[in-house]
Amino acid sequence: MTAAARTNVVPLRAVPDMDAAYRAAVSIHYPNCDPLSMATRVEIMGLRDRASAALRRANPEAQFILAEAARIATLASLSSADPQSLAFTRVAIESLIFSADMMRRAYA
């Protein structure tokens, strides 16, 4: 007699639509925001959350970089910068997160 394969069933939770929440926050501060600027601000807010989440599991060397990335993203997401400056800022924040991840891997 063979035992049936055991499967783990994980209940799925409803995941909130964070992009919609970010768009709502931006539209409150900038009601006439153009679509390109809105999309970039939403991406920056997502990067802010990503940096904040990575901060919890980072080693001490990378914590300063991630904290700075989260701070820059917070300030940039609701700043009155033009879309080109926001795009450059988004790339800089992504680079900071990437460098912190590389430091975490190097010291692991």
Side-chain angles (χ1 to χ4, degrees):
M1 192 158 98
T2 59
R6 185 179 163 134
T7 58
N8 293 331
V9 178
V10 178
L12 297 176
R13 292 183 324 187
V15 177
D17 185 15
M18 294 307 294
D19 287 352
Y22 297 153
R23 280 191 297 274
V26 171
S27 64
I28 288 171
H29 290 279
Y30 298 104
N32 298 326
C33 188
D34 62 304
L36 178 63
S37 179
M38 175 70 78
T40 308
R41 290 174 197 277
V42 167
E43 286 182 20
I44 289 173
M45 287 180 158
L47 287 172
R48 177 195 61 198
D49 290 348
R50 196 170 127 202
S52 297
L55 188 59
R56 291 187 214 114
R57 64 179 183 277
N59 55 1
E61 291 83 10
Q63 284 181 349
F64 298 107
I65 297 171
L66 290 169
E68 190 66 17
R71 186 187 71 81
I72 292 170
T74 301
L75 295 173
S77 61
L78 297 177
S79 71
S80 60
D82 59 317
Q84 183 179 8
S85 297
L86 288 172
F88 286 134
T89 305
R90 181 183 58 82
V91 171
I93 294 167
E94 285 179 343
S95 297
L96 284 171
I97 293 171
F98 178 76
S99 66
D101 189 40
M102 290 296 109
M103 286 184 72
R104 183 182 59 84
R105 290 180 185 179
Y107 287 107

